[in-house]
Amino acid sequence: MLDLSTSFAGVRLRNPIVVAAAGITGTIDRLKRAEDAGAGAVSMKSLFENPIPRVGDPTPHMLVIRRRLGSLSSETLYSYEQCSAFDEERYAEELHRAKQALSIPVFANVDCQTPEAWVRYCRLMEEAGADGVEVKSCPHGEHLLTGTELQEVVRLLKGTVNIPVIPKLPPQLTSPYQTARELERVGADALVLFNRFTGLDIDVHTESPVMHGGVAGHGGPWSLHYVLRWVVQTAPALSIPVCASGGVGGGEDVIKCLLAGASAVQIATLVILEGYGVIGRVLKEASEWMEARGYHRLEQFRGRAAARVLNLAEICRERRLVASISAERCSGCGRCGEICIYRAVTEEAGGRFRVGEGCVGCGLCVHVCPETAIGMVPAR
Ligand SMILES: Cc1cc2nc3c(=O)[nH]c(=O)nc-3n(C[C@H](O)[C@H](O)[C@H](O)COP(=O)(O)O)c2cc1C
């Protein structure tokens, strides 16, 4: 019997999937849909002190941007969906009603500009029954909270409320690791790594920003690597739990976050693009992976990959592998030779290519060959 339960910020979750703060968690109806679809917890759409974004979102405010870079391509959900339209009283009321209607934990998510509002809003969240409050730094704002400012907010709130205080870090910090350590020191109960990156795209025809005319949040499957990189460094070094957030596209990505040391995993973009029903698929995929490996509980493998990340001195720099081109499969297109900065690829009689002594084993030609004719073999 599989047990997917986990503990996050002192709260028990039936599974590690937290539907992240976004429009998909903006109302009690949507929170309930997340619970019914199987989520372990929900984080409500942000409550802002700033009244300007509460007025509503521009139309449209979501755009899928597809880009190419040589043979690579990426997709981004570019969006400018700001905060909850509710004021603090109405938000607290919605939260209170959600707590009555749902059996899974409900986290509030607050973003203020003044200490007075941080204190007042978070007290309201506590009174409304929130299982914790995420301290958010809006990625689209004109002023992004620095690590030091986040610490000040956490210190203030820890002297004010008794519910868990959970900073949600912006990704654009000089050292997320250092900031995470400092946040733990000032009393944070858990961390979310990360909110989205802030970004911009420009229409070269109008020579202006696309969509609504300003900067926006951007994220996609590519975001996961950044998240894993910092979860792996912070989670083992902290005694408070870390929730991974960014680019999770399925059960395997959830497992990667857990292997990196996360205690919970937030998902927004996937639910936005596929609907709440995708949560069931994610849980099924993660469960199948555990079953195939004979795991019954998350603790049996959580953080396992973190322990295997090599440091600078440990990484092997011997030339163990080199590229080798299959003469049968090579079509003679020469792509490998064009990109080889080591001039290790030479053309043979008959228009085929071969790898010579200069190969350092970087592995890039394996991925650019359109015929999949190149593999890595032990260096002699
Ligand atoms: C449309 C949209 C709206 C979002 N709104 C909020 C928000 O109000 N508050 C917040 O803390 N994060 C917000 N986020 C960030 C998500 O909660 C999440 O941390 C981030 O998108 C990374 O996860 P993902 O890659 O699964 O989307 C939003 C993300 C999206 C895509």
Side-chain angles (χ1 to χ4, degrees):
M1 181 66 181
L2 279 192
D3 176 6
L4 295 180
S5 67
T6 185
S7 178
F8 180 68
V11 182
R12 201 72 199 154
L13 274 55
R14 62 181 171 177
N15 67 59
I17 310 295
V18 181
V19 178
I24 46 173
T25 60
T27 62
I28 190 164
D29 166 60
R30 300 177 206 161
L31 295 168
K32 188 82 184 93
R33 286 168 78 181
E35 173 174 85
D36 293 345
V42 282
S43 171
M44 270 179 78
K45 176 73 185 163
S46 285
L47 163 67
F48 275 31
E49 178 188 4
N50 185 352
I52 297 172
R54 284 192 200 162
V55 172
D57 298 314
T59 50
H61 53 264
M62 290 200 193
L63 184 65
V64 174
I65 300 178
R66 300 192 166 87
R67 300 197 61 239
R68 290 199 64 80
L69 191 163
S71 58
L72 307 180
S73 57
S74 74
E75 298 192 351
T76 285
L77 178 65
Y78 186 74
S79 65
Y80 190 69
E81 184 203 80
Q82 286 219 306
C83 63
S84 169
F86 298 149
D87 66 16
E88 62 276 22
E89 304 282 347
R90 180 67 189 82
Y91 188 96
E93 187 189 320
E94 193 78 358
L95 174 58
H96 181 68
R97 285 177 43 220
K99 280 299 297 171
Q100 314 295 308
L102 275 68
S103 57
I104 58 173
V106 180
F107 298 106
N109 179 306
V110 177
D111 187 332
C112 294
Q113 292 158 313
T114 59
E116 298 72 33
W118 276 114
V119 167
R120 198 165 83 76
Y121 286 24
C122 291
R123 279 197 178 131
L124 275 173
M125 298 308 116
E126 182 171 36
E127 283 162 23
D131 289 282
V133 59
E134 283 181 4
V135 175
K136 188 223 177 176
S137 160
C138 177
H140 320 312
E142 272 137 34
H143 173 71
L144 305 181
L145 280 190
T146 63
T148 313
E149 287 165 329
L150 259 180
Q151 281 169 46
E152 282 163 19
V153 174
V154 170
R155 196 181 279 122
L156 175 71
L157 294 180
K158 284 305 290 181
T160 308
V161 291
N162 292 314
I163 51 174
V165 174
I166 309 165
K168 182 170 182 178
L169 277 62
Q172 52 274 355
L173 290 164
T174 317
S175 169
Y177 169 70
Q178 217 43 53
T179 304
R181 294 287 299 256
E182 290 299 315
L183 287 167
E184 178 182 45
R185 196 177 55 77
V186 296
D189 295 279
L191 302 176
V192 179
L193 305 186
F194 293 98
N195 209 315
R196 307 177 92 199
F197 283 98
T198 180
L200 178 72
D201 199 13
I202 294 174
D203 182 331
V204 294
H205 301 292
T206 62
E207 304 179 9
S208 305
V210 299
M211 206 164 67
H212 61 305
V215 300
H218 70 127
W222 47 267
S223 331
L224 182 74
H225 308 292
Y226 185 78
V227 175
L228 292 176
R229 183 259 178 270
W230 288 109
V231 170
V232 122
Q233 187 172 356
T234 50
L238 303 180
S239 54
I240 56 172
V242 170
C243 177
S245 166
V248 170
E252 205 170 276
D253 291 346
V254 170
I255 297 294
K256 289 182 189 187
C257 294
L258 297 169
L259 284 167
S263 297
V265 180
Q266 291 201 351
I267 301 183
T269 301
L270 184 65
V271 176
I272 293 170
L273 294 173
E274 307 249 314
Y276 298 91
V278 78
I279 298 166
R281 197 236 314 148
V282 172
L283 286 169
K284 183 166 174 285
E285 288 167 359
S287 303
E288 282 169 0
W289 180 89
M290 284 176 65
E291 269 161 3
R293 307 223 149 209
Y295 293 129
H296 306 291
R297 290 176 294 108
L298 305 187
E299 287 313 313
Q300 290 175 297
F301 63 91
R302 202 174 66 76
R304 185 161 277 186
R308 293 178 178 163
V309 176
L310 303 178
N311 68 31
L312 200 64
E314 290 166 336
I315 293 169
C316 173
R317 291 173 169 81
E318 271 169 45
R319 196 179 66 127
R320 289 188 295 194
L321 298 168
V322 291
S324 169
I325 303 175
S326 152
E328 293 78 52
R329 298 181 77 165
C330 176
S331 65
C333 74
R335 282 284 297 124
C336 49
E338 280 163 23
I339 57 103
C340 182
I341 60 170
Y342 309 100
R343 295 187 187 278
V345 178
T346 50
E347 192 171 354
E348 303 272 83
R352 301 284 181 270
F353 287 81
R354 65 174 281 277
V355 178
E357 280 307 302
C359 177
V360 301
C362 74
L364 180 63
C365 56
V366 173
H367 302 283
V368 303
C369 175
E371 310 298 335
T372 58
I374 309 180
M376 300 300 284
V377 297
R380 270 183 276 128

